[in-house]
Amino acid sequence: MLIKTSYRDVPTKANGRAGTIRIFLIEPNLPDYPQAKFPGCVVFSEIYQVTGPVERFASNIASEGYIVALPSSFHEFEGPEAIPYDTEGTDRGNKYKIEKTVEGYDEDATLSVDLLCSLENCTGRIASTGMCLGGHLLIKKQCAFDPRVLATFCYFATDVHSATLGKGKSDDTLIKIRKGDLTDKGEVTMVFGKQASRSADSPDTHVDRNGRTLIRDTLDEAGIPFTFLEVQAQHAFIRDESSKGRWDAALTRSLFSMMMELFNRTVARDLGAKVGGGAKLEHVC
């Protein structure tokens, strides 16, 4: 399916501060079918904002028949341009990651879903995916009482186990899951690479075995419908550029197919209420 790209600059007000976030849109381009409607998907990026690899990843989702929204995570600190995959860029992104407030992250996610639901060609049924920082943001969004997000596919989500996202390094993602805030909010898949990086400046998996076990057990004890994958790959293995030798193209393709199966089963189709218990997973736009 052919696609087209655009963006919207959306007002923000988190922490009492007026600003603007740029949300990029990638969507199917079917001019012969002006009444066509598509489900939406929010893609949350790594600490480098919307880079070439992230845009290509989102474009593949859009070509499957989804309207994809990509928020620029660090609009409080700089423009929407991609941050370089180099030492200075990495340091900058990591600095912003813990200077931005949790309230700011939550607002960005809400505005992205709001934008998708406001589009005439969107059905209002929303999926979400992301990697690294973005992997944490999307599961946090699904914890934030938003019934519009029906399915989540997280790639190597960082800082969930350590609860160190945002200013003060004190987020409440696992606390909310334990309290039941993710219950009946949709299906979750989490993927982590188990291999230590061979890169000198990234020597570990970012989320060690104990951290992965904590996340898996917390989801399980909360009764969340989830799939948890630990694969033979390194952190950032889906990045097809400046991956420091970590990109695994074959594994990336396989997991993309698995992600689309989840989205097509739970988001693209409205299955109605579940027989025998459980709330209907529906959009509320």
Side-chain angles (χ1 to χ4, degrees):
M1 190 177 296
L2 297 179
I3 58 175
K4 60 183 179 181
T5 62
S6 61
Y7 65 83
R8 304 286 180 86
D9 289 329
V10 179
T12 61
K13 57 182 180 181
N15 308 301
R17 178 181 175 184
T20 302
I21 178 174
R22 177 159 296 180
I23 302 175
F24 296 93
L25 291 172
I26 308 176
E27 59 189 302
N29 184 22
L30 299 175
D32 292 337
Y33 297 89
Q35 304 303 315
K37 291 183 178 293
F38 306 95
C41 179
V42 183
V43 172
F44 296 95
S45 69
E46 338 161 80
I47 59 171
Y48 306 97
Q49 302 210 106
V50 182
T51 60
V54 173
E55 182 178 354
R56 288 190 288 276
F57 173 75
S59 295
N60 277 307
I61 299 173
S63 190
E64 295 284 340
Y66 288 76
I67 305 171
V68 183
L70 303 96
S72 302
S73 295
F74 297 138
H75 56 92
E76 295 94 339
F77 310 110
E78 61 175 72
E81 295 78 19
I83 295 174
Y85 286 123
D86 57 19
T87 300
E88 187 277 331
T90 300
D91 291 344
R92 198 192 329 164
N94 280 323
K95 176 174 178 287
Y96 294 158
K97 181 178 72 170
I98 58 174
E99 288 183 351
K100 186 181 177 90
T101 65
V102 171
E103 180 185 353
Y105 284 123
D106 286 346
E107 182 187 50
D108 292 352
T110 297
L111 291 174
S112 298
V113 178
D114 287 349
L115 175 58
L116 287 172
C117 286
S118 73
L119 301 175
E120 291 185 0
N121 62 335
C122 182
T123 64
R125 299 179 63 81
I126 309 299
S128 62
T129 185
M131 63 290 294
C132 197
L133 166 67
H136 189 163
L137 295 182
L138 63 96
I139 194 169
K140 189 177 192 311
K141 177 56 183 170
Q142 214 178 23
C143 290
F145 306 100
D146 196 330
R148 300 174 295 181
V149 181
L150 304 179
T152 290
F153 199 101
C154 307
Y155 289 92
F156 39 86
T158 53
D159 304 322
V160 178
H161 66 298
S162 58
T164 53
L165 177 68
K167 191 172 184 178
K169 295 186 177 182
S170 181
D171 71 80
D172 56 357
T173 301
L174 291 181
I175 293 172
K176 285 189 171 184
I177 294 174
R178 293 188 186 103
K179 287 171 56 181
D181 292 355
L182 193 53
T183 303
D184 293 329
K185 292 289 177 62
E187 189 171 334
V188 176
T189 296
M190 302 197 76
V191 182
F192 291 96
K194 295 177 64 176
Q195 294 180 354
S197 173
R198 295 179 177 85
S199 171
D201 60 350
S202 186
D204 58 41
T205 58
H206 292 262
V207 185
D208 61 18
R209 183 171 62 181
N210 291 336
R212 299 193 300 271
T213 298
L214 174 62
I215 297 168
R216 182 180 60 249
D217 289 351
T218 301
L219 289 168
D220 199 22
E221 290 165 6
I224 308 303
F226 75 99
T227 299
F228 197 95
L229 298 175
E230 296 178 291
V231 298
Q232 292 301 321
Q234 301 171 58
H235 186 78
F237 65 87
I238 68 171
R239 188 198 302 161
D240 64 3
E241 176 185 317
S242 301
S243 69
K244 302 171 185 174
R246 296 174 291 182
W247 180 39
D248 188 324
L251 181 59
T252 297
R253 287 195 300 271
S254 296
L255 289 171
F256 185 86
S257 296
M258 186 174 184
M259 179 180 70
M260 294 314 304
E261 184 279 329
L262 172 64
F263 291 173
N264 290 336
R265 172 168 50 84
T266 60
V267 181
R269 299 174 179 86
D270 186 349
L271 301 179
K274 182 179 179 181
V275 175
K280 178 181 178 181
L281 303 178
E282 59 182 352
H283 65 279
V284 184
C285 287

